[in-house]
Amino acid sequence: MTKEFVSTSFIRAGRFTAAMSLVCIGGLLLWDALSTGYSHIKLLKVWWPLIAISWAFEVLVTGLLKRRQKKKWKVDFVGISAALIVAVSVFLIAQPNLFHNWVRSIQFDFSMMKQMVLEGGVPITKPTIEQQLSEDIDQLTIVHETGDIYIETAETETIEVESIVTIYEATQQEAEVAAAAVDLKLEQAAPNKLVLDGKSYTGSNKPRQPFQFDIKITIPEEKFIELDIQVNKGNVYAQRPVAPIYVHANEGDIRIVDALDRVEARTSKGDIECNDIKGMAVLHTMKGNVYGQRLESGVELQVQQGNIELDEINSTLHAVAHNGNVNISSSKLSGYWSVENLKGDVNLVLPQDVNMAVDLHSLKGSIMTNYSSLGSDESAVIDSVGEGGVGLRVRASGSISLQHKG
């Protein structure tokens, strides 16, 4: 008697998508390994929705076909989850700076939405300060000791100051007593100048418990007010300043976006990030990284210990790094660039059809380029690309990579 064996295995919808996703990720990694100057794995950031679309399409087609054939099938959650985990892991390893930028942007957006409550402490909201502005006021100085500062512009006719004191290692009652001693003062120091003092305390002593005093300042967007910010320990976030902004932090990060005028940011310990800056950008940090995108009117950078990551520099550039790597990418070269790295590598990505005079010197590393018009040398390249013109000068102790896109 012949026995007929019937397979009880399932057709797993999504397995093809999972397999193709892994093939694509591996292909991008191999492409990056075989080429220099451009990270193709960054394409995951743009095209990742195709994984979800392909998976949904495969599930739909499999369901229709197997339903007609009366075969069993199920969705391959394990396979597609594994593919997504691999994709995310590869992206975090290959492009950590892009991931960190994304995280910082989310944190900044939430901070500007008044979500300033910190974990592990008791938050006490202080009374809001509002002040009308005379026509003569064109300067605001902010002096702060401990805590973050958030600045934004809005359609308002007054300066509005909101603040939260977070008291640690205290009960609710103890926190209320301690917070009462922390005060803000907004005073007119000169006919054209206001001073916001975040270091003042009622009584003779500041709170005994550890605390953080976060301040949010809203400025009229049609009022030209120059900002001078000094903070000892805390982060500074500024969005859409219309006048020059000067920030000096002893310990803390600085992030400025959508600035219409000059930006100067200096910190002894912390990262600096500036995006969409219309005016000159002067950025200095002793210990930390500098990130910048779409800097329109010239950049001066100095980093003692940390990396420099820049994208889209549309004017002159003077960058000095003492201990770290320098990575710069731009779709044009429209001003003189000078890049110095005393201990580290320099990686530059520019257009293929750029016109520039090149002066590259590496002390201990090699020079790599895919510009066919440039001569090759282990330690120095002095030549031109296209018709020459705009100068590019690079000095580095490590390797120098000058690549074009495409």
Side-chain angles (χ1 to χ4, degrees):
M1 182 176 179
T2 303
K3 294 183 180 181
E4 184 177 352
F5 292 93
V6 179
S7 175
T8 59
S9 62
F10 289 90
I11 302 296
R12 300 181 186 277
R15 180 161 292 183
F16 176 78
T17 296
M20 288 305 299
S21 299
L22 295 176
V23 169
C24 291
I25 293 168
L28 291 173
L29 290 174
L30 287 175
W31 195 0
D32 286 347
L34 296 174
S35 61
T36 56
Y38 185 76
S39 179
H40 301 90
I41 200 69
K42 289 194 296 186
L43 295 173
L44 282 175
K45 181 183 175 184
V46 178
W47 297 104
W48 69 266
L50 288 178
I51 298 177
I53 294 173
S54 175
W55 185 31
F57 181 76
E58 185 179 351
V59 169
L60 179 63
V61 172
T62 301
L64 291 175
L65 292 178
K66 301 310 174 185
R67 184 177 181 182
R68 293 176 182 177
Q69 298 174 9
K70 297 183 179 180
K71 291 185 177 181
K72 296 180 180 181
W73 67 280
K74 65 179 182 179
V75 179
D76 188 12
F77 288 103
V78 175
I80 199 66
S81 298
L84 291 173
I85 291 172
V86 170
V88 172
S89 301
V90 167
F91 187 77
L92 295 184
I93 295 172
Q95 292 294 323
N97 290 324
L98 290 178
F99 178 73
H100 293 160
N101 289 345
W102 177 73
V103 171
R104 282 196 304 274
S105 68
I106 292 179
Q107 291 173 338
F108 183 73
D109 291 340
F110 277 119
S111 70
M112 300 311 297
M113 295 169 64
K114 302 181 182 179
Q115 298 189 12
M116 299 185 289
V117 176
L118 302 179
E119 296 181 358
V122 180
I124 306 294
T125 302
K126 304 289 287 185
T128 299
I129 299 174
E130 288 191 49
Q131 180 160 329
Q132 294 286 340
L133 295 176
S134 65
E135 295 182 358
D136 296 332
I137 298 297
D138 59 8
Q139 293 182 27
L140 173 62
T141 295
I142 303 167
V143 182
H144 198 40
E145 178 65 27
T146 303
D148 297 340
I149 299 174
Y150 305 85
I151 299 174
E152 68 173 358
T153 58
E155 294 182 359
T156 179
E157 297 180 354
T158 63
I159 283 185
E160 184 179 274
V161 182
E162 303 167 81
S163 58
I164 293 178
V165 182
T166 304
I167 308 295
Y168 299 94
E169 302 175 7
T171 64
Q172 179 70 35
Q173 184 177 2
E174 292 172 339
E176 292 176 357
V177 174
V182 181
D183 199 11
L184 271 177
K185 290 184 179 180
L186 181 60
E187 299 177 334
Q188 188 164 340
N192 67 326
K193 181 179 179 179
L194 290 176
V195 175
L196 179 64
D197 187 357
K199 300 172 67 174
S200 62
Y201 308 101
T202 57
S204 57
N205 298 319
K206 64 181 181 180
R208 292 175 297 175
Q209 300 91 339
F211 72 96
Q212 179 163 328
F213 195 10
D214 294 330
I215 303 171
K216 181 173 182 289
I217 305 161
T218 304
I219 301 172
E221 61 183 12
E222 296 183 358
K223 183 69 174 175
F224 188 91
I225 299 180
E226 181 180 292
L227 297 172
D228 181 9
I229 303 169
Q230 304 165 28
V231 58
N232 183 37
K233 187 176 181 180
N235 305 315
V236 177
Y237 306 92
Q239 183 170 325
R240 295 187 301 274
V242 299
I245 178 171
Y246 305 91
V247 182
H248 188 185
N250 185 40
E251 182 178 343
D253 298 337
I254 300 172
R255 186 167 192 263
I256 302 173
V257 300
D258 297 330
L260 301 182
D261 212 310
R262 183 181 180 89
V263 170
E264 289 192 15
R266 303 172 188 269
T267 178
S268 299
K269 184 179 179 181
D271 294 342
I272 297 176
E273 180 177 1
C274 289
N275 299 332
D276 301 293
I277 309 300
K278 301 298 182 184
M280 179 73 179
V282 180
L283 314 175
H284 292 185
T285 178
M286 294 291 291
K287 187 176 181 180
N289 304 313
V290 172
Y291 306 92
Q293 296 184 37
R294 296 173 296 279
L295 307 178
E296 301 289 338
S297 300
V299 187
E300 178 187 313
L301 302 175
Q302 188 167 135
V303 178
Q304 293 288 334
Q305 185 176 348
N307 300 322
I308 296 176
E309 301 278 346
L310 302 177
D311 187 24
E312 295 302 329
I313 308 301
N314 297 324
S315 188
T316 60
L317 168 67
H318 182 206
V320 178
H322 292 260
N323 188 1
N325 294 323
V326 178
N327 301 302
I328 305 174
S329 175
S330 187
S331 60
K332 62 181 178 180
L333 181 67
S334 57
Y336 179 77
W337 282 19
S338 174
V339 180
E340 300 178 32
N341 196 345
L342 303 183
K343 188 178 180 181
D345 302 331
V346 174
N347 302 297
L348 305 176
V349 180
L350 293 170
Q352 186 171 1
D353 58 352
V354 69
N355 297 314
M356 61 181 173
V358 176
D359 180 1
L360 312 177
H361 281 78
S362 174
L363 183 62
K364 298 179 181 179
S366 59
I367 297 177
M368 299 166 288
T369 180
N370 61 356
Y371 284 97
S372 58
S373 61
L374 293 181
S376 60
D377 192 289
E378 291 185 357
S379 61
V381 173
I382 301 177
D383 210 326
S384 62
V385 175
E387 299 177 358
V390 179
L392 172 62
R393 178 183 182 273
V394 180
R395 299 289 186 270
S397 64
S399 64
I400 299 174
S401 174
L402 174 60
Q403 307 294 328
H404 62 69
K405 299 179 181 179

